C-alpha cells in the first residue's frame, strides 16, 4: 500500500479518510455513507436538493469555479427525454492529482454524489468519464457501483423509491483535451475529443444530444456531506465569497508533497510551507503555479496570496484544479516553460490555427533558445506568439493556458530569458537539465 | 483469416447496446482488440469497424487521436513514464535514461530484443505528489529511483512475471485477461 500523502481526516471531503477500507460499502455506510442519497430519494424533491446545494455556495472544483446549483438548474426541467450527469474524472492538468486521491480513497462518495446530482436534475443516469490511466480508481469504482446495485441503493427502486438511478463508467484513452467539458462529451460519444462551439451549451444539448450537467469529481464528492449536514453548515467554511473547503495537490520541490484539504482563504504560504513542509534542505523557493500548469506562475514573494478568488484574480491567475507546483532555485524558468509548452503543443487538438500553430512555434523557439541559438528575435517572437494564443482567439482554454505560460514566466523572469537569449548562458545550476 | 478471434468480435458486437448511442462503443471495442493483439493493426481496426457498422476510416481516426491506443507493436510490459513538470523537477529525466539502459532500448516506442519491454514518455498521469512516477501493467509506481526501476524490470524478467508489485490502497485484482496476448517481436 502506498504511503498516504497529505491530510488524512480533514474537515469535509477527507473527514473519513483515516478509516481503513473506506472504499468498501460496509465501511462507508457504517460511518454514515448513503444516508444522503436515502434522504434525497425518499424525502426530498429535486428542487429542494438544488436549494440545499445553493445555500452551501458550492462551486465547481474542476477549474471553472461555477455555482454547482446554478449549473444543475440550467438543465431544463420539462425536457421529455433522458437527461444526464456526466462526471469529469479525466483529471490531467499537470500538477493536479486530487481526483485520483478522492476516488481511490472514497469511491462511494463520488457515486453517491453523482446519483444525488442525477436526481437533482430530474435524470436517471450519471456517467463517470474516467481517465484511462486510472486503473485502480476505475476498478474501485466499478466494484463500488456493483455493491451499490446489490444493496438496492442504485437501480430501478433505490431505497424503495420510484426514481430509478444508475451510475456508469466510461474510460478515456489519453487526451488532455478531454478535461474540457464539450471535448469530453465528444469523446463519450465515441469521437475524437475536439471541443464543440457553444451555444448550444451542454445543459441544453450535451451527452448524446440530451440536456447534461458536467461536474467534477471533487464537486460531486462534496455533495453527500452537504446533504447530510446542511448547506448552511458547509457555507460556514471558507470566505464570504468562496465558501467551503477544497483539495489541493502540492508537488515539486517541497519536503512533503501531497494532497491536502484546505479551507478556502488560507494562504499559499500556509499550504506550501506548513502543510507541505516548505523548501527542500538547502534550497529556496522560487515560484509556484497556484492552480495547475495552466494558471499563471507566481514568484515566491507572492506566497501570502490567499486561495480565495479575489486574491488570485487580483494577480490575474486562478486556483484552477488545485494543483500547486512548486519550483526552487535549482531550476531554470526558461527550461520549465519550454517543458510546459511541449506539453501544450502535444495536447493541442488541432482545431484552431492559433493554438495548433502557436504552440508548435513556441516549442521550436524554445528549442533554439536552449540550443544557444537565441537572440532578441526569439524574445520578441515569444512575446508575439503568447499574445496570439490568448484573449479568446482559441475555441477552448488550452490556447490561453499556453500563452499564459510564456507571458507569466517572461514577466517575472525576464532576466533569465535575456540571459539565455542574449548571453547564451544559464546561471541556474540545477537538475532541469534538458527540457 | 481474421485478426480478431470470434469471441472478441462477439463481445464487440454486444457493446453498442450498453450506450445511449451505439457509436460510444468504439473506444471500448478498440480496447478489446488491443487487449487481444497487443496493438491495433489496420485489419483489427477494419474488423472493429465492421462489427460496429462504422466506417474504417472513422475508427482509425479515433484510434490515432488517443495516446493509449498503440498502432505499432509494443512490448509485453509497457512503461508509461511521466516526464511532465512535477516529475521532471524530481528527476524523471534521469529515471528515463536509466530505464532505457535497463530494458535495452534507445527511444520511446522501440521494443526490446526479447519483446518484453517498451516505454513511452507521457504527460502528467495525475500522481504528481509521488513524482517521479510511471505506469506499468495497469498499476502506478511511485517515488522512482534507479533501484526501483531495476527491481521492476527484474521482476518481469523472472519466471514469476505475473507477480506485479502494487501501489495504492488495498485493491481488488484486475479481472483476468480473456486470452493471453500474442507476443510481438
Ligand atoms: S484551443 Fe487548442 S485545444 Fe482548444 S480547441 Fe483550439 S486547437 Fe483544440
Ligand atoms: S507531472 Fe508526473 S504525474 Fe503529474
Amino acid at each position: 500500500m502506498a504511503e498516504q500523502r497529505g491530510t488524512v481526516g480533514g474537515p469535509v471531503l477527507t473527514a473519513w479518510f483515516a478509516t481503513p477500507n473506506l472504499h468498501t460499502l460496509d465501511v462507508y455506510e457504517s460511518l454514515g455513507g448513503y444516508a444522503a442519497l436515502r434522504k434525497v430519494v425518499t424525502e426530498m424533491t429535486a428542487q429542494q436538493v438544488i436549494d440545499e446545494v445553493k445555500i452551501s455556495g458550492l462551486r465547481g472544483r474542476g477549474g471553472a469555479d461555477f455555482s454547482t446549483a446554478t449549473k444543475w438548474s440550467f438543465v431544463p426541467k420539462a425536457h421529455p427525454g433522458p437527461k444526464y450527469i456526466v462526471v469529469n474524472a479525466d483529471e490531467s492538468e499537470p500538477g493536479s492529482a486530487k481526483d485520483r486521491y478522492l476516488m481511490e480513497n472514497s469511491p462511494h462518495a463520488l457515486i453517491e454524489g453523482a446519483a444525488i446530482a442525477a436526481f437533482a436534475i430530474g435524470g436517471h443516469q450519471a456517467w463517470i468519464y474516467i481517465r484511462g490511466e486510472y486503473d485502480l480508481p476505475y476498478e474501485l469504482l466499478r466494484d463500488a457501483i456493483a455493491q451499490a446495485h446489490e444493496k438496492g441503493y442504485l437501480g430501478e427502486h433505490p431505497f424503495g423509491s420510484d426514481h430509478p438511478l444508475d451510475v456508469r463508467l466510461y474510460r478515456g484513452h489519453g487526451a488532455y483535451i478531454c478535461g474540457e467539458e464539450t471535448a469530453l462529451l465528444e469523446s463519450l460519444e465515441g469521437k475524437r475529443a475536439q471541443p464543440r462551439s457553444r451555444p448550444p451549451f451542454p445543459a441544453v444539448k450535451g451527452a448524446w444530444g440530451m440536456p447534461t450537467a458536467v461536474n467534477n469529481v471533487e464537486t460531486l464528492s462534496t455533495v453527500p456531506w452537504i446533504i447530510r449536514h446542511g448547506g448552511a453548515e458547509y457555507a460556514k467554511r471558507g470566505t464570504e465569497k468562496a465558501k467551503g473547503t477544497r483539495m489541493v495537490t502540492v508537488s515539486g520541490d517541497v519536503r512533503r508533497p501531497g494532497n491536502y484539504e484546505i479551507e478556502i482563504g488560507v494562504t499559499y504560504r500556509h499550504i506550501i510551507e506548513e502543510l507541505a513542509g516548505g523548501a527542500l534542505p538547502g534550497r529556496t523557493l522560487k515560484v509556484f503555479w497556484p492552480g495547475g500548469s495552466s494558471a499563471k506562475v507566481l514568484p515566491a514573494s507572492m506566497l501570502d496570496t490567499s486561495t480565495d478568488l479575489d486574491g488570485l484574480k487580483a494577480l490575474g491567475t486562478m486556483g484552477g484544479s488545485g494543483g500547486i507546483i512548486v519550483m526552487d532555485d535549482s531550476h531554470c524558468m526558461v527550461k520549465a516553460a519550454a517543458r510546459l509548452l511541449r506539453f501544450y503543443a502535444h495536447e493541442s487538438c488541432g482545431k484552431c490555427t492559433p493554438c495548433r500553430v502557436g504552440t508548435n512555434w513556441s516549442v521550436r523557439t524554445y528549442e533554439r533558445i536552449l540550443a544557444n541559438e537565441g537572440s532578441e528575435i526569439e524574445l520578441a517572437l515569444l512575446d508575439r506568439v503568447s499574445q496570439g494564443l490568448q484573449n479568446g482567439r482559441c475555441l477552448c482554454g488550452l490556447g490561453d493556458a499556453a500563452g499564459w505560460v510564456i507571458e507569466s514566466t517572461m514577466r517575472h523572469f525576464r532576466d533569465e530569458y535575456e540571459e539565455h537569449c542574449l548571453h547564451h548562458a544559464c546561471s541556474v545550476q540545477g537538475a532541469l537539465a534538458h527540457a | 483469416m481474421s485478426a480478431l478471434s470470434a469471441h472478441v468480435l462477439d463481445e464487440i458486437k454486444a457493446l453498442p447496446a450498453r450506450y445511449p448511442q451505439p457509436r460510444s462503443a468504439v473506444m471500448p471495442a478498440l480496447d478489446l482488440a488491443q487487449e487481444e493483439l497487443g496493438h491495433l493493426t489496420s485489419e483489427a481496426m477494419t474488423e472493429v469497424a465492421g462489427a460496429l457498422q462504422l466506417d474504417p476510416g472513422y475508427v482509425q481516426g479515433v484510434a490515432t487521436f488517443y495516446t493509449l491506443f498503440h498502432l505499432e507493436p509494443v512490448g509485453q510490459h509497457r512503461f508509461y513514464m511521466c516526464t511532465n513538470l512535477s516529475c521532471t523537477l524530481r528527476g524523471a529525466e534521469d529515471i528515463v535514461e536509466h530505464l532505457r539502459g535497463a530494458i535495452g532500448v534507445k527511444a520511446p516506442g522501440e521494443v526490446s530484443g526479447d519483446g518484453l519491454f517498451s516505454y513511452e514518455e507521457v504527460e502528467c498521469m495525475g500522481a504528481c505528489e509521488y513524482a517521479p512516477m510511471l505506469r506499468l501493467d495497469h498499476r502506478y509506481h511511485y517515488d522512482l529511483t534507479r533501484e526501483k526501476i531495476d527491481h521492476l524490470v527484474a521482476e518481469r524478467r523472472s519466471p514469476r512475471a505475473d507477480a506485479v508489485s502494487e501501489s495504492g490502497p488495498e485493491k481488488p485484482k484486475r479481472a483476468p485477461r480473456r486470452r493471453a496476448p500474442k507476443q510481438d517481436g
Side-chain angles (χ1 to χ4, degrees), chain A residues 42-58:
Chain A
T42 59
E43 294 170 27
M44 294 174 84
T45 63
Q47 191 55 47
Q48 283 171 331
V49 177
I50 294 181
D51 290 344
E52 201 61 50
V53 173
K54 187 162 208 97
I55 293 169
S56 78
L58 179 67

Side-chain angles (χ1 to χ4, degrees), chain A residues 32-286:
Chain A
Y34 284 109
L37 181 59
R38 180 195 301 269
K39 182 172 173 191
V40 162
V41 297
T42 59
E43 294 170 27
M44 294 174 84
T45 63
Q47 191 55 47
Q48 283 171 331
V49 177
I50 294 181
D51 290 344
E52 201 61 50
V53 173
K54 187 162 208 97
I55 293 169
S56 78
L58 179 67
R59 303 174 79 88
R61 301 284 188 243
D65 203 49
F66 189 77
S67 157
T68 305
T70 309
K71 193 177 233 187
W72 291 350
S73 60
F74 283 161
V75 178
K77 290 185 183 59
H79 181 83
K83 299 180 239 186
Y84 299 110
I85 288 291
V86 171
V87 185
N88 184 342
D90 191 69
E91 179 174 60
S92 29
E93 171 72 8
S96 178
K98 68 186 172 77
D99 291 339
R100 192 205 84 249
Y101 177 76
L102 293 174
M103 291 187 286
E104 279 180 2
N105 282 281
S106 192
H108 283 289
L110 173 59
I111 293 163
E112 187 179 8
I116 292 171
F119 180 90
I121 62 159
H124 300 283
Q125 256 178 29
W127 285 81
I128 302 176
Y129 182 100
I130 183 166
R131 80 175 283 185
E133 291 91 338
Y134 280 3
D135 303 283
L136 174 61
Y138 172 82
E139 290 163 20
L140 293 169
L141 281 165
R142 182 194 60 199
D143 295 349
I145 290 169
Q147 289 170 345
H149 268 287
E150 247 166 60
K151 280 258 192 160
Y153 300 168
L154 295 174
E156 281 305 302
H157 302 285
F159 299 98
S161 75
D162 282 325
H163 191 102
L165 285 174
D166 196 6
V167 178
R168 300 189 179 191
L169 281 166
Y170 193 87
R171 300 191 87 161
H173 285 81
Y176 169 70
I177 193 66
C178 291
E180 199 280 337
E181 67 176 17
T182 60
L184 183 149
L185 294 173
E186 288 284 288
S187 184
L188 181 60
E189 292 180 7
K191 303 176 194 153
R192 292 166 79 102
Q194 292 188 315
R196 299 174 179 171
S197 37
R198 295 175 291 189
F201 289 91
V204 181
K205 200 166 181 282
W208 302 290
M210 298 296 158
T212 301
V214 183
N215 291 118
N216 169 258
V217 168
E218 181 182 344
T219 317
L220 292 181
S221 299
T222 311
V223 166
W225 194 97
I226 290 171
I227 300 294
R228 278 200 311 278
H229 298 266
E233 193 56 38
Y234 186 78
K236 281 185 194 160
R237 293 161 169 81
T239 66
E240 192 44 46
K241 282 199 187 140
K243 301 199 187 304
T245 69
R246 68 167 305 172
M247 297 301 300
V248 293
T249 307
V250 191
S251 66
D253 300 326
V254 289
R255 288 173 202 237
R256 285 192 300 274
N259 281 295
Y260 299 94
E261 182 176 7
I262 55 138
E263 206 164 312
I264 299 176
V266 300
T267 62
Y268 284 92
R269 184 180 300 285
H270 171 78
I271 297 170
I272 293 171
E273 292 193 341
E274 281 166 47
L275 299 177
L280 295 168
R283 292 285 168 205
T284 0
L285 295 185
K286 181 171 172 174

Side-chain angles (χ1 to χ4, degrees), chain B residues 76-95:
Chain B
Q76 193 185 331
H77 305 286
R78 295 185 293 281
F79 287 85
Y80 294 85
M81 188 61 228
C82 176
T83 57
N84 209 306
L85 188 57
S86 302
C87 286
T88 298
L89 289 174
R90 294 186 87 103
E93 290 174 354
D94 180 56
I95 299 292

Side-chain angles (χ1 to χ4, degrees), chain A residues 1-3 5 21 23 84 93-97 100 104 127 131-136 139-140 143 168 170 173-175 177-178 187-193 208 250-254 257-259 289 325-327 331 336 339-340 343 346-347 432-434, chain B residues 17-21 23-28 31 58 60-62 64-69 80 82-86 88-91 93 121-131 135 137-140 142-143 166-175:
Chain A
M1 172 168 171
E3 172 207 338
R5 301 250 167 106
N21 295 323
H23 66 276
Y84 299 110
E93 171 72 8
S96 178
R100 192 205 84 249
E104 279 180 2
W127 285 81
R131 80 175 283 185
E133 291 91 338
Y134 280 3
D135 303 283
L136 174 61
E139 290 163 20
L140 293 169
D143 295 349
R168 300 189 179 191
Y170 193 87
H173 285 81
I177 193 66
C178 291
S187 184
L188 181 60
E189 292 180 7
K191 303 176 194 153
R192 292 166 79 102
W208 302 290
V250 191
S251 66
D253 300 326
V254 289
N259 281 295
W289 281 262
I325 308 171
V326 182
M327 192 168 105
H331 296 294
R339 178 63 193 89
L340 288 177
F343 163 72
H346 182 258
E347 299 297 331
L432 204 50
H434 177 79
Chain B
R18 290 203 217 158
Y19 303 97
Q21 274 174 16
R23 187 176 294 254
S24 292
V26 65
M27 286 198 273
D31 265 344
Y58 176 84
Q60 198 154 354
V62 171
T64 50
F65 189 85
Y66 298 92
T67 53
L68 290 180
F69 292 126
Y80 294 85
C82 176
T83 57
N84 209 306
L85 188 57
S86 302
T88 298
L89 289 174
R90 294 186 87 103
E93 290 174 354
E121 292 178 27
V122 301
E123 301 299 350
C124 178
M125 284 190 281
C128 324
E129 80 270 39
Y130 294 106
R135 174 179 184 249
D137 299 338
H138 299 280
R139 282 290 174 263
Y140 278 10
Y142 300 140
D143 298 322
E166 299 192 338
S167 50
E170 284 179 39
K171 64 191 72 71
K173 276 252 174 311
R174 185 178 140 80

Side-chain angles (χ1 to χ4, degrees), chain A residues 330-332 334-336 338-339 342 370-371 420 426 428-435, chain B residues 85 88-94 97:
Chain A
S330 71
H331 296 294
C332 163
V334 182
K335 289 171 186 166
R339 178 63 193 89
R342 227 168 66 205
L370 293 177
H420 272 279
C426 180
V428 184
Q429 304 294 317
L432 204 50
H434 177 79
Chain B
L85 188 57
T88 298
L89 289 174
R90 294 186 87 103
E93 290 174 354
D94 180 56
E97 206 178 301

Side-chain angles (χ1 to χ4, degrees), chain A residues 177 195 347-352 355-356 394-396 398-399:
Chain A
I177 193 66
E347 299 297 331
S348 167
C349 81
K351 194 162 174 170
C352 350
C355 172
R356 185 183 64 244
C394 299
L395 190 57
C396 85
L398 191 146

